[in-house]
Amino acid sequence: MDMDLEIVEGISQQDEDIILDKLKAFNIECFGASDRRELAIPLRDTAGDIAGGLVGYTGRGWLYISMLFIPELMRAKGLATRLLTMAEAEAVKRGCIGAYIDTMNPAALALYLQLGYHPIGKLEGLAGGHDVTWLEKRF
């Protein structure tokens, strides 16, 4: 099939949703339903506004933590550990066997290792000399 292809800097949310829907349908056909459920633990400041938190989902027996952010003024108080512990406990309730996360932050990497996560992959040599490490923890 001959197609005209072009590189663009982005597509509309509607077009992105079309591609995502097609990918989800393909994955369900090949691998079955994912039982995906969102999981979030917002971290609020004294005014009640979201200042950070944990965002992820469970699916196919695993918890994926896509975002974990603690604002600088709230760091070194054990909040990241508490958020991860809460998310992991909820994942266990949902029948998950483990969790995975990725990071470029050396301090976050050290924390994840301390909490029992193990590296499963690394992409070295990003711009600025940074690396991305993917980690897993089996429950």
Side-chain angles (χ1 to χ4, degrees), residues 37 39-41 53-59 62-69 80-81 83-89 91 98-103 112 115 117 133-137 139:
R37 291 176 58 195
L39 187 153
I41 308 169
L54 181 148
V55 176
Y57 62 85
T58 57
W62 283 83
L63 164 64
Y64 172 58
I65 301 160
S66 59
M67 292 189 284
L68 175 58
F69 178 73
T81 299
L83 292 174
L84 285 165
T85 301
M86 289 173 66
E88 291 169 5
Y100 62 106
I101 191 168
D102 61 83
T103 187
Y112 303 151
L115 295 176
Y117 285 77
T133 304
W134 288 268
L135 303 103
E136 74 169 358
K137 179 179 182 179
F139 303 141

Side-chain angles (χ1 to χ4, degrees), residues 113-132:
L113 293 171
Q114 179 183 346
L115 295 176
Y117 285 77
H118 303 281
I120 56 173
K122 188 173 192 175
L123 178 62
E124 298 175 327
L126 298 175
H130 304 288
D131 304 329
V132 176

